[in-house]
Amino acid sequence: MNDSPGWATPGSPSDGQGSDDGRPPAPPAGDDKWSASQPPPGQWSSPSPGQSPPPSRQTPGWGSYERQPGQRPTAPYAGPYGHPGGWGGPPPAAKPGVIPLRPLGLGEILDGAVSTLRGHWRSVLSITLVVAVLFQLAILLVQRLTLDTVVLDPQTATPSQALDLMGDTLALYGFQYYAEFTALALVTALLAPVVSNAVLGRASTPAATLRTVRPLAPRMLGLTGLLLVGALAAGFLPALPGILSGNVLLTALSLPIGLVLLAWFYVTFSLAPPALMLERGSAIGAMKRSARLVKGSWWRVCGITVLTWLIRSITAAIIAMPFAAVAALATPGGLGALLDGSAARNWTFLIITAIGGIIGTTITLPMQTGVTTLLYVDQRIRREALDLELARAAGLDGPGGTITGG
């Protein structure tokens, strides 16, 4: 046996000195606390060198669960009929809401995000719809302004005209990306309380969600602004020397560097919105918190985020396709206007496609925000044993509560 606290070597309650023939020491004379009959010789002796210990009579499959090196300790579990362990391994984790309370896999994160949307659709869709309408209107106006360029004939277009059209196109796509980035950060923060309730198996209403968010609105807007400024700096600072010098080649070579910095910035601080809303700290503190949680798991967070973005983009494109077809048919010139680019300057085409974009964004954006919040929960479970706190908050281990900071 070991000498760890709480353990003692088995044997007779004596001073540990036995007789030469292997018998236990005789009880002291006149001591009536000891029985006169003692075990026969050898029953209390330790096994001789090389002798195997007696076989265990424990039934296979009923052994207690032993914690492996580096594994976080868990609460004791009583298996069937009160025996510890269970049928060949640790018990399944408790699942009061959309995820089990343990470190999550990719499928469980995606399923939890979809289950949140399905089970709390009133709160999720009402909040996302408002944000989607605002940002789609902004994109619509910028699209109408930037593409108000004369349709170019590739055979007669001058280099300056082609350069202007290229600049307008890059400006439009850049604005769309950063508008989506801002909307994603904002919706993630707004829906973090909804996902928190879904994890605990609690209901959410739009009114209750707004009451939760309202005190944190200034900090939420401040964090959104900081993330936007940081993303702009990461994307454009590498290209700034080429832009200021008018060197097109230098600008083009700096674009990959900007994309790498932008990806690093986005993944590193992607968990800041849920950290702000669920831990109720400052905007700067939420960004630092996100960087600490992502550290060491950057590629995992990046892979799950990119995969979710691909799924969301494909789903949104499928939703928007019927609206694009209707818009092409309703636009003067039909498919010909769509092919030569003139449809992009027609209000009918722009409005119908914007409606499709609003519907697609409203349905698919909550999936991305749900995955981000569940990644935050998963990282805290892996690093800080948040699952034990969540179990208590869900009423599985002590009085209920809320998700709080670590």
Side-chain angles (χ1 to χ4, degrees):
M1 302 297 292
N2 57 47
D3 55 355
S4 301
W7 289 91
T9 304
S12 60
S14 65
D15 59 1
Q17 301 298 325
S19 60
D20 294 337
D21 58 357
R23 299 174 182 269
D31 191 347
D32 56 357
K33 296 181 181 179
W34 292 88
S35 172
S37 60
Q38 294 296 319
Q43 185 167 334
W44 286 74
S45 61
S46 59
S48 59
Q51 180 181 352
S52 301
S56 174
R57 297 185 179 181
Q58 199 172 35
T59 305
W62 291 83
S64 60
Y65 176 61
E66 296 183 0
R67 182 165 61 95
Q68 301 298 324
Q71 179 180 348
R72 183 170 42 81
T74 57
Y77 166 69
Y81 306 103
H83 292 271
W87 294 95
K95 188 178 179 181
V98 296
I99 59 169
L101 300 185
R102 57 169 171 73
L104 304 175
L106 171 61
E108 292 167 332
I109 292 176
L110 295 175
D111 180 70
V114 175
S115 298
T116 302
L117 173 60
R118 185 171 59 247
H120 303 261
W121 62 271
R122 289 184 179 87
S123 299
V124 170
L125 296 184
S126 59
I127 292 174
T128 310
L129 177 62
V130 174
V131 177
V133 169
L134 294 176
F135 280 91
Q136 195 65 45
L137 288 176
I139 292 174
L140 176 64
L141 294 176
V142 173
Q143 187 175 7
R144 183 65 180 83
L145 293 173
T146 55
L147 294 184
D148 191 19
T149 307
V150 178
V151 180
L152 298 180
D153 184 353
Q155 297 179 351
T156 61
T158 63
S160 61
Q161 289 177 327
L163 190 61
D164 290 341
L165 181 60
M166 183 180 299
D168 289 344
T169 304
L170 290 176
L172 173 61
Y173 283 116
F175 181 83
Q176 287 180 336
Y177 171 81
Y178 284 104
E180 181 179 351
F181 176 89
T182 307
L184 185 60
L186 189 59
V187 173
T188 302
L190 290 171
L191 294 184
V194 179
V195 180
S196 170
N197 285 328
V199 169
L200 297 176
R202 299 173 179 173
S204 297
T205 62
T209 303
L210 291 178
R211 284 196 301 269
T212 303
V213 171
R214 189 179 296 116
L216 298 171
R219 281 177 277 180
M220 179 183 65
L221 295 176
L223 175 63
T224 304
L226 287 175
L227 292 175
L228 178 60
V229 171
L232 287 170
F236 285 100
L237 281 182
L240 191 60
I243 294 174
L244 294 178
S245 63
N247 191 324
V248 178
L249 180 59
L250 181 60
T251 304
L253 292 176
S254 64
L255 289 179
I257 300 175
L259 292 176
V260 171
L261 289 177
L262 189 59
W264 172 85
F265 179 88
Y266 178 81
V267 174
T268 301
F269 300 107
S270 61
L271 305 185
L276 173 70
M277 302 305 293
L278 300 181
E279 299 182 20
R280 297 176 175 270
S282 64
I284 298 293
M287 295 180 68
K288 293 179 180 178
R289 184 79 163 118
S290 175
R292 287 196 299 270
L293 290 174
V294 173
K295 185 179 180 180
S297 302
W298 192 93
W299 285 107
R300 179 175 182 271
V301 175
C302 178
I304 294 175
T305 301
V306 170
L307 178 61
T308 307
W309 177 80
L310 288 174
I311 296 173
R312 180 176 68 86
S313 300
I314 293 172
T315 306
I318 294 174
I319 295 173
M321 279 181 184
F323 293 90
V326 172
L329 296 176
T331 303
L335 293 177
L338 184 65
L339 294 175
D340 64 17
S342 60
R345 295 180 288 117
N346 184 274
W347 280 109
T348 302
F349 179 84
L350 294 177
I351 291 174
I352 295 177
T353 54
I355 293 173
I358 291 173
I359 295 175
T361 301
T362 302
I363 295 175
T364 61
L365 192 61
M367 180 181 178
Q368 185 91 49
T369 60
V371 166
T372 301
T373 304
L374 291 179
L375 274 173
Y376 161 82
V377 174
D378 176 60
Q379 287 300 108
R380 288 197 60 188
I381 287 176
R382 293 173 182 270
R383 295 171 181 262
E384 304 169 3
L386 180 66
D387 51 332
L388 304 180
E389 298 293 333
L390 294 177
R392 284 192 285 269
L396 303 178
D397 185 11
T402 57
I403 300 179
T404 58

